[in-house]
Amino acid sequence: NVLRVAANEDTWNDDRATTTTHGNDPRLAVVDSTQACLVIAAASCTNVRNARSYVKFDLSALPAGATVQSASLQLVGGPTTVSTAPVTARRVTSTWSESTMTYNSRPSTSSSGVVTGAAVASGGTEVLSLDVTAMVVARGTATIAHGWELRPNGTNDSWWYSGEWSTAAQRPTLTVVYR
């Protein structure tokens, strides 16, 4: 059996607009400019941008007692907005809402069970697929109740389509294979 669900909430935040919400934005940002600043010289980096994105999914349609065989988080972006640098998903450990989250109110995350993947070109878009099986298998606890934080693994600047994107097939999804 396969369960494919769209994100029920997603947003992003960044350190240049610490009190701004982005829950209605059609894109999700994953940016880490600090590494570039360390190479150039920290004194020249007055406009550093660090952005993280957050996605969560409602898995209530997954039958009780189902055995999860695999789970994959997919993001899609346009070819000019996505870097090939890897993206890391970290488990979010506290509550958040796309309508109220800002950089200053971002939720806590866990470094345990972190997964990393790189985008692959596919028909004029870039597709990122992250294997989150271990986190979904533990769904009986609060392990995935708050979703995932997406952050760059290195220095990159990428934008992914969000749940507000006009093309439904390009919105963030979680695919769970179970029996």
Side-chain angles (χ1 to χ4, degrees):
N1 298 307
V2 177
L3 173 66
R4 186 168 191 234
V5 293
N8 62 321
E9 288 199 78
D10 56 23
T11 189
W12 64 277
N13 60 54
D14 77 276
D15 65 353
R16 288 194 295 184
T18 59
T19 60
T20 301
T21 61
H22 299 283
N24 291 321
D25 198 318
R27 291 200 173 110
L28 300 169
V30 178
V31 180
D32 188 349
S33 300
T34 56
Q35 296 298 323
C37 289
L38 292 174
V39 171
I40 297 168
S44 66
C45 292
T46 57
N47 201 20
V48 171
R49 181 178 203 162
N50 294 294
R52 305 291 184 259
S53 286
Y54 299 82
V55 294
K56 66 178 147 177
F57 302 87
D58 178 1
L59 291 179
S60 61
L62 190 62
T67 301
V68 173
Q69 295 176 308
S70 66
S72 178
L73 169 60
Q74 296 94 24
L75 298 174
V76 177
T80 60
T81 62
V82 176
S83 166
T84 57
V87 172
T88 296
R90 295 169 62 105
R91 184 173 53 86
V92 175
T93 58
S94 58
T95 61
W96 60 273
S97 168
E98 70 177 1
S99 62
T100 59
M101 185 201 294
T102 67
Y103 183 81
N104 287 344
S105 69
R106 66 194 183 276
S108 57
T109 61
S110 172
S111 60
S112 106
V114 169
V115 296
T116 300
V120 176
S122 175
T125 60
E126 300 290 326
V127 178
L128 173 67
S129 193
L130 298 166
D131 181 354
V132 293
T133 303
M135 288 184 245
V136 174
V137 165
R139 74 190 183 285
T141 67
T143 300
I144 61 163
H146 306 302
W148 290 276
E149 175 194 67
L150 305 171
R151 59 171 59 192
N153 186 358
T155 302
N156 69 334
D157 185 351
S158 60
W159 293 83
W160 303 92
Y161 301 137
S162 78
E164 287 69 32
W165 186 248
S166 59
T167 305
Q170 294 178 325
R171 295 175 184 162
T173 58
L174 181 66
T175 303
V176 180
V177 177
Y178 67 96
R179 56 183 160 98

